[in-house]
Amino acid sequence: MEIREEKRDKYYVVSLVGRLDASTAGDFEEKLIAAIDNGETSVIVDFVELDYISSSGLRVLLVGAKKLKSMNGMIGLCNLKSHIKEVFEIAGFLPVFNVFDTLEEALNS
């Protein structure tokens, strides 16, 4: 998996490419938590190039959301493909996150 990071206005945007599973979740968690620990409180995770997410990936997102909530921050998700959005729905995790159709919509929220 490839992890791309950029700062867009007040947002820390993380774009994930490939598969977020048990073998890649640790790298993503390390980058996400490091950014939060460095003061990022508005995080957007762009799924436009993500093909698969496992329970390990969901766990990382929940850890990040919990940490941000304690800092009055937020985590938004955008560009979820239908099969990935279905994973969030089945797990009951959609209410935990702000979900946007596009990155532009997330940046303008």
Side-chain angles (χ1 to χ4, degrees), residues 4-75:
R4 299 180 191 143
E5 305 168 272
E6 66 177 306
K7 187 73 175 178
R8 300 266 304 257
D9 299 318
K10 66 178 182 174
Y11 296 101
Y12 168 72
V13 180
V14 184
S15 300
L16 304 176
V17 180
R19 298 172 56 90
L20 180 53
D21 56 24
S23 64
T24 58
D27 291 339
F28 175 48
E29 183 172 13
E30 187 177 298
K31 288 185 183 277
L32 180 61
I33 298 305
I36 295 168
D37 287 345
N38 286 328
E40 298 293 348
T41 58
S42 297
V43 176
I44 298 172
V45 183
D46 190 350
F47 285 73
V48 72
E49 295 184 73
L50 191 73
D51 298 319
Y52 174 83
I53 188 167
S54 73
S55 59
S56 298
L58 292 174
R59 184 194 62 77
V60 172
L61 290 166
L62 287 174
V63 167
K66 184 177 179 181
K67 189 168 182 80
L68 284 165
K69 185 176 181 181
S70 71
M71 302 167 60
N72 293 320
M74 62 74 72
I75 188 167

